[in-house]
Amino acid sequence: MSRVERGRTKGSGDTAGSPEAGPNSGRASVAWPLLASELSVLFRRVRTWAMLAALAAVPVLIAVAVKLSSRPTAPGRGPLFLDRISQNGLFVAVTALVVCVPLFLPLTVGVVAGDTLAGEASIGTLRYLLLAPTGRTRLLLVKYAGAVAFCCAATATVAAAGALAGVVFFPVGPVTLLSGETVSVGEAAVRSLLIAAYATVSLIGLSAIGLLISTMTDVPVGAMAATIVLAVVSQVLDTLPQMDWLHPWLFSHHWVGFADLLRQPISWASFGDNLLLQGGYIAVCGALAYANFSNKDVLS
Amino acid sequence: MSGTWRDRSQQSGQSPHQDSVDLPDRWAIETQGLTKRFGGRIAVNGIDLAVPAGSVFGFLGPNGSGKTTTIRLLLGLASANSGDVRVLGKKMPAALASVLSDVGALVEGPGFYPFLTGADNLRRLDSADPLAPSETRKQRIHEALDQVGLSHAAKKKVRAYSLGMKQRLGLANALLRPRRLLVLDEPTNGLDPQGTREVRGLIRSLAAGGTTVFVSSHLLAEVEQMCTHVGVMSVGRLVAQGPLEELRSAGQSGVRVLTPDVDRAKNVLTRLGLVPQPWDGPSLAADAVLATGLDGREPETVVAALVADGVRVRGFSVESASLEDRFLSLTGEGFDVAG
C-alpha cells in the first residue's frame, strides 16, 4: 500500500469515529431512487403487462357479451349492475370491478405481492440488493410500495378498460344511482373512480399478507399460491353463517361493499370500515414481515 | 501464526509499537470466535480470521467447509450465533450501512434479473445503494462493464448471457464504485481460460491500487498465482492462515534426482535421512528419484554425497512442497463432502 493510499484509508478511518458517515447521512434514508427502480423493474416485466391485459379483457368481454346477447338481462341475474349496462355504458366499469374483486384482482395482486421478496431471493438478487447496501427496512417498504402501486394499476386498468368499452359499445348518459337520484356523466365517472379506489384499498391488506408470506420463503410460486389461497379462504369463511363472529375480522369482509358509493349523498361508512380493516392488516402483517425479515439469514 | 504476518504498515516506516493500538486500517477483516450453527450442525466453528489491509487473501477450503457461510456472516447477510466481526475497522453488522458501500462483493455466484439488460441490472443494484451518486451512475456502469469486457453485451438481456458473462457482470457490480474491500466468492467460476486470466490481472491491479481482496476459491493454482495471504478452512474451522510463502514453506521440501542408478541413489538419500517416495505420477520418468525431508540440509551436500557414491547425476532439483500438498495435509484427502 502506498503512502498516499494509506493516507486515504486512514482518513476515512478517522471519519468513522464521528457520528455515522457525515456528509451522506442526510441521504441515507432516501428511498426514492430505489422506489423508482422498483417500479421500473415491475412495469418492465412482461408478466406485469400480461396480467394487466388479462384484467383489461374482463370489462371488454362483459361489454361484448351483453352487446351480442339478444335478450335483455333480467334484473337480479348475473353480477351486480349487469342489467344496466345496455342502457348506460358507464356501468361496464362498475360491473367489471364487481366481477374482478373476488378472484381476478386478488389473483394478480397475489402474484405480485408473493413475488416481492421470494422472487428476488429465487433469482439471487436479494443478497445483492442487501449488499448494495439496501437497508432491510427500506427494501421491505419499497417492495410493499411496489405492490401497492400494482394494486392501483390493476384497478385503474379495469376501470379504464371498462369506461372505454362502455363508451364504444353502449350509449352513455346521466346515471341513476341506487338511491334514485340521477347524476351527470362527469359525476358518474368520479363515482367509478371512487369504486376503483375502494377496490384498491381492499387489495392493500392482501398485499401486506403477500409481503409477509414472501419473507418466509425463497420459492415465489409458493408465496403467490399461499396469498391467493388465503384470499379465497377468507371469502369462503365470510359466507359461512357459523363463522359470523369472525366475519368482521376477515380482510375480504368489505371487498364488495362499494354500493354505498353509488348513493346520494355518498355514504362513507363502508369505505372507512374497509380502510380501517385493511390498515389493521397492514400494521399486523407489516410488523410480522419486519420481525421476520430484519433478522433473517439470507441464504439464497 | 498471526504474529508473523508481513506487516505492511511497518514496511512503510510506521512504528512497530503501534501494533498494540487498535488501528482501524490494519485489518480489513477481523473475526473473533465467529460461530454459526444451522440447527444442530455447526457450519462455522469459532474462527479467528485476520485479513491484513492491502492483501490479496485467498480463502481456501473444500466444498462444504464453510467458506460461503463465513462470507455471509462477514457481510451481514446472516447473523452469527456468537463471535465478533469487524470489517474495515467497524463492527458488523452494526455498521453495515456505512461499511457495505465500501465493499464490493460477489457471493455464491451472480444473481440478476433475466428480463433486464446487463446495464439495467447494474443500474438497479447501484440505485439500491443510497450513497451511490446518481450523477455519475451512467459513467460508472459504463466503466465497470468495460473493465470486465462486457461493453458489447451491455444492452443484451441477461437471459441471453452465458454463465461466464453473468460472472463477469457480477464482477462489474462489485466494481461499480471505488471499493476498499472486495469479497469475491469463486470469482473465476464458469470463466474460460482467457476470462480467468483477465480476472487474475484485474485482481492484481486492484490490489496494486490499495484495495484489499478477499477471494474464496478451491482452485489452488489460482490462489498460488495471485494471493499474498491464505486462510484454509476445513469442516467449519480455520486450520491455517498466514502469508502464502509461510504456509507453503511449512510443508516439506524435497529433491528430485535424475539418474540411471536409481537404486543406488535411493540408498544414498535414505542414508542422508531423506525419504524416497514411491511415485507413479506421469511426471516421474523411470530414471528419476523423488525424496522428501530435505529439512534444511544444504542441497549441494546431497549432490556431493550422491556423486561420491558413484551415482551418475544427470539432473538435480529442489522441490518445494506445493500448496496442494499443504492444503491436502490440512484438510484431509477424503473426497466426501463434509456434512
Side-chain angles (χ1 to χ4, degrees), chain A residues 158-221:
Chain A
V158 176
L164 202 66
V167 169
V168 169
F169 290 108
F170 303 104
V172 169
V175 171
T176 308
L177 295 175
L178 294 178
S179 52
E181 287 88 348
T182 301
V183 295
S184 67
V185 172
E187 169 78 21
V190 171
R191 299 291 175 111
S192 296
L193 282 180
L194 276 178
I195 291 173
Y198 187 99
T200 308
V201 169
S202 297
L203 295 169
I204 58 177
L206 181 64
S207 299
I209 293 171
L211 183 75
L212 170 61
I213 296 174
S214 203
T215 62
M216 299 175 177
T217 173
D218 294 345
V219 186
V221 176

Side-chain angles (χ1 to χ4, degrees), chain B residues 100-124:
Chain B
L100 286 185
S101 275
D102 283 332
V103 179
L106 181 68
V107 183
E108 205 170 50
F112 293 105
Y113 305 90
F115 50 89
L116 294 183
T117 66
D120 285 341
N121 264 291
L122 294 187
R123 191 163 302 126
R124 160 83 166 158

Side-chain angles (χ1 to χ4, degrees), chain A residues 3 5-6 10 16 20 24 37-38 44-45 120 123 125 127-128 131-134 136 138 297-300, chain B residues 12 14 25 36 72 76-79 90 98 106-109 111 113 115 120 124 127-131 209:
Chain A
R3 277 169 185 277
E5 190 56 40
R6 206 155 49 80
K10 270 206 76 122
E20 286 309 307
N24 295 316
S37 157
E38 176 67 26
R44 280 165 75 179
R45 289 194 84 156
E120 301 277 359
I123 58 172
T125 43
R127 59 176 181 269
Y128 288 108
L131 290 175
T134 314
R136 295 192 179 204
R138 202 163 67 103
D297 286 348
V298 174
L299 302 175
S300 60
Chain B
S12 52
Q14 209 167 35
D25 56 350
K36 178 67 182 176
R72 288 181 189 284
L77 286 175
S79 48
K90 294 189 202 172
S98 61
L106 181 68
V107 183
E108 205 170 50
Y113 305 90
F115 50 89
D120 285 341
R124 160 83 166 158
S127 56
D129 179 356
L131 301 182

Side-chain angles (χ1 to χ4, degrees), chain A residues 73-96:
Chain A
T73 315
R77 295 204 50 201
L80 201 59
F81 310 122
L82 188 66
D83 53 316
R84 302 209 187 185
I85 287 177
S86 53
Q87 295 119 49
N88 196 332
L90 287 175
F91 276 102
V92 175
V94 181
T95 310

Side-chain angles (χ1 to χ4, degrees), chain B residues 41 57 71 99 163 181 216 233 263 290 294:
Chain B
R41 191 176 68 86
F57 190 101
I71 289 176
V99 168
L163 175 61
L181 170 66
S216 94
M233 290 285 288
D263 290 331
L290 197 69
L294 192 58

